Amino acid sequence: VTLVVGGVPVGPPLPHLVANGLMLVGDAARQVDPLTGGGIANAMMAGRLAAEVAAQAIAAGDTSADALASYEERWLARRGHKMARNYRLKERFGPGQRTSPDFLRIFMVAVGGI
Ligand SMILES: Cc1cc2nc3c(=O)[nH]c(=O)nc-3n(C[C@H](O)[C@H](O)[C@H](O)COP(=O)(O)OP(=O)(O)OC[C@H]3O[C@@H](n4cnc5c(N)ncnc54)[C@H](O)[C@@H]3O)c2cc1C
């Protein structure tokens, strides 16, 4: 039997995911759903967005934060705003309340994509 454990970043969203010559993706970008702890699908989707923007930036010879900003905008439009909402929902319930019927109802609605 092997015990596999680790931390999952379920804190508030980062203010920015890009800087000059730098793009954050996946756990490093806190792209985990704060309600579910799921981060694999988000990391894969964000990785694709980041790669598309990075390829264009490199081809244009400009990897400044401004040139990379469209990755951040696309992430927010696709998932980022929803992850921020899910963080706010999670924070309304203390750790001891996260098996309450109210929390579970919000969890089901949020996971259902509504
Ligand atoms: C116990 C546990 C269970 C989870 N279960 C689920 C689940 O069921 N569903 C789900 O969607 N999400 C789950 N998650 C979350 C999910 O695993 C992460 O959100 C996701 O893997 C993030 O992908 P990533 O590429 O950002 O990071 P990672 O998958 O952690 O990949 C980072 C990689 O970088 C490597 N690395 C680190 N430092 C260096 C270095 N200096 N040089 C080179 N390489 C380096 C690491 O070895 C690793 O391979 C779980 C997390 C944990 C801890």
Side-chain angles (χ1 to χ4, degrees):
V1 176
T2 303
L3 185 63
V4 179
V5 297
V8 179
V10 291
L14 294 176
H16 291 291
L17 304 182
V18 300
N20 291 332
L22 177 73
M23 307 173 90
L24 298 178
V25 174
D27 281 9
R30 292 194 199 157
Q31 290 170 329
V32 173
D33 187 327
L35 275 178
T36 66
I40 295 172
N42 282 354
M44 292 175 72
M45 192 268 282
R48 184 180 185 122
L49 295 180
E52 289 169 359
V53 172
Q56 290 168 1
I58 290 167
D62 180 3
T63 58
S64 65
D66 283 349
L68 302 177
S70 67
Y71 157 60
E72 198 171 293
E73 291 157 10
R74 291 168 72 184
W75 158 255
L76 285 172
R78 293 277 291 272
R79 293 274 171 83
H81 289 306
K82 182 180 171 189
M83 294 303 105
R85 178 202 67 178
N86 286 0
Y87 174 75
R88 291 192 299 274
L89 288 172
K90 176 178 76 77
E91 289 301 295
R92 286 175 56 184
F93 296 83
Q97 299 174 302
R98 290 180 189 154
T99 53
S100 72
D102 278 350
F103 180 80
L104 294 176
R105 185 172 48 78
I106 286 174
F107 179 89
M108 293 304 289
V109 170
V111 170
I114 297 171

